[in-house]
Amino acid sequence: MKDFLLFSGSSNVPLAQKIAKLLHTTLGNVDLSRFADSEIRPWIQEDVRDKTVFVLESLAYPMDEHVMELSLMGDAIRRSAPKNMIAVIPYMGYARQDKQHRVGEPVSARVIAKFIEVSKFKEVITVDLHNDAIVGFFQIPVSHVSALDVLTVEIKKLSLARPVIVSPDVGGVKRARNLAYALDVPMVVMEKKRFLDRHDTSESFQIIGEVRGMDAVIVDDVISTGGTIANSAQSLKDAGTKSVTVLASHAVFAGEAVKKLSAAPIDTLTVTDTIRLPKEKLFPKLHIVSVAPLIADAIQMLIK
Ligand code: R5P
């Protein structure tokens, strides 16, 4: 194995530590202090010359700070002549803004991709982008890792009698179809309506397919306010499902999400650790599985 270093920004140190352990190393030393006016001042305290350097930063809340921290760490490292510099982004915030929904709006996901390139990262490792096409926003290579395998293991453990995979919206059909294929079970799609004039608000409408008496497994990429999942779970229950299980890659859990999800007719909800959840966002039916082995494998592919 060649010489490499793994640094972590402040967003998800526990995940970075797990990855470091799997790679039989420890995290590189970096001092992430701030000036009195809140400017970030990273100080890399390792010799990075001629090494392959990985920097892990989940672009989760507060995403703007984490984008800036990642960019500044990148700039600090590239000034000391590393051999290669790779951004490890378990959750790419802004990915849901992958198109112009209205004239006058930015394509924010593309702007984030440019930020990463401007900071001189030469490659990116990321997990379950909201839309596969976002890979094309980068001009540098992207290793796009899927958490579906670790989530599939969890669903198998439940030994559900009559599983049916549910995509909570049309945009998630490909993800749901992949899971349905992997488990060799049927899938259905729900129709979701979003309101452009009301942020973070959605309604679940009709279910396209049969769910009565079945064990619904909703699969989604991101849970933000929890509205999509809570509404879908309620609609599925109203349509006569026996149980509702939820699988999601990224637990953003913004605003009242924990309250909504706890109250929703959900039996179990499994997410990954791409985003670090504070204690107050944990609740009894929530299970967290780690993407550390997937990311460690992706890193290993780039250093062997
Ligand atoms: C939307 O297209 C995504 O796949 C998720 O369904 C959505 O971002 C979830 O947002 P919320 O939890 O706020 O309903």
Side-chain angles (χ1 to χ4, degrees):
M1 205 180 276
K2 290 186 188 160
D3 227 2
F4 75 99
L5 279 164
L6 172 62
F7 290 97
S8 179
S10 58
S11 58
N12 199 343
V13 177
L15 174 60
Q17 281 168 335
K18 276 187 197 162
I19 296 167
K21 199 169 169 197
L22 289 167
L23 294 169
H24 309 292
T25 187
T26 50
L27 294 178
N29 286 319
V30 53
D31 181 34
L32 293 169
S33 63
R34 281 177 184 270
F35 286 101
D37 63 357
S38 92
E39 282 181 7
I40 306 164
R41 189 195 202 189
W43 180 22
I44 303 294
Q45 298 177 340
E46 305 278 356
D47 178 12
V48 301
R49 181 171 289 274
D50 291 331
K51 293 190 178 135
T52 298
V53 180
F54 296 84
V55 183
L56 185 141
E57 189 79 278
S58 228
L59 303 184
Y61 180 83
M63 47 266 292
D64 300 350
E65 287 183 17
H66 292 140
V67 169
M68 190 51 88
E69 198 176 77
L70 177 64
S71 293
L72 296 183
M73 285 175 78
D75 190 68
I77 292 164
R78 67 111 181 155
R79 286 173 189 281
S80 298
K83 183 174 171 215
N84 197 5
M85 195 172 76
I86 296 145
V88 181
I89 305 176
Y91 170 65
M92 183 174 160
Y94 284 102
R96 288 180 294 164
Q97 295 187 50
D98 58 349
K99 56 176 84 68
Q100 238 193 346
H101 293 279
R102 291 177 293 197
V103 172
E105 289 185 343
V107 182
S108 309
R110 193 165 183 281
V111 176
I112 299 299
K114 293 295 146 213
F115 255 74
I116 291 158
E117 287 169 5
V118 163
S119 315
K120 302 290 180 202
F121 286 99
K122 297 286 180 254
E123 292 191 43
V124 171
I125 296 172
T126 190
V127 181
D128 286 345
L129 288 167
H130 175 61
N131 172 356
D132 290 344
I134 293 169
V135 168
F137 290 172
F138 291 89
Q139 281 178 340
I140 53 177
V142 176
S143 304
H144 188 193
V145 175
S146 167
L148 214 56
D149 285 353
V150 288
L151 294 171
T152 307
V153 170
E154 293 309 300
I155 205 74
K156 282 184 177 162
K157 281 186 201 161
L158 294 175
S159 305
L160 300 170
R162 288 184 68 203
V164 56
I165 308 301
V166 181
S167 174
D169 52 35
V170 175
V173 168
K174 192 175 162 200
R175 190 175 306 115
R177 190 197 57 197
N178 289 345
L179 182 61
Y181 277 171
L183 296 170
D184 194 21
V185 299
M187 70 163 275
V188 300
V189 182
M190 299 192 68
E191 194 197 349
K192 177 169 89 177
K193 185 167 169 48
R194 281 245 179 243
F195 306 94
L196 278 177
D197 55 340
R198 282 185 268 152
H199 279 322
D200 297 311
T201 314
S202 67
E203 278 176 13
S204 293
F205 286 100
Q206 60 169 336
I207 302 162
I208 306 164
E210 188 48 53
V211 294
R212 184 165 297 279
M214 298 175 87
D215 298 293
V217 180
I218 308 173
V219 59
D220 209 349
D221 58 334
V222 180
I223 301 179
S224 181
T225 64
T228 299
I229 295 298
N231 291 341
S232 306
Q234 191 57 59
S235 302
L236 288 161
K237 271 285 169 195
D238 294 346
T241 53
K242 198 168 110 211
S243 68
V244 177
T245 302
V246 177
L247 304 176
S249 308
H250 309 295
V252 172
F253 290 180
E256 299 286 285
V258 169
K259 211 166 142 190
K260 264 188 228 166
L261 296 166
S262 304
I266 296 169
D267 296 81
T268 43
L269 192 158
T270 303
V271 298
T272 80
D273 57 354
T274 56
I275 295 173
R276 187 180 61 81
L277 287 175
K279 277 202 186 88
E280 60 275 16
K281 294 205 173 180
L282 305 179
F283 51 100
K285 55 190 169 189
L286 178 71
H287 299 272
I288 303 175
V289 292
S290 186
V291 291
L294 301 174
I295 295 181
D297 282 354
I299 289 179
Q300 232 145 7
M301 295 285 285
L302 300 182
I303 53 179
K304 67 179 178 196

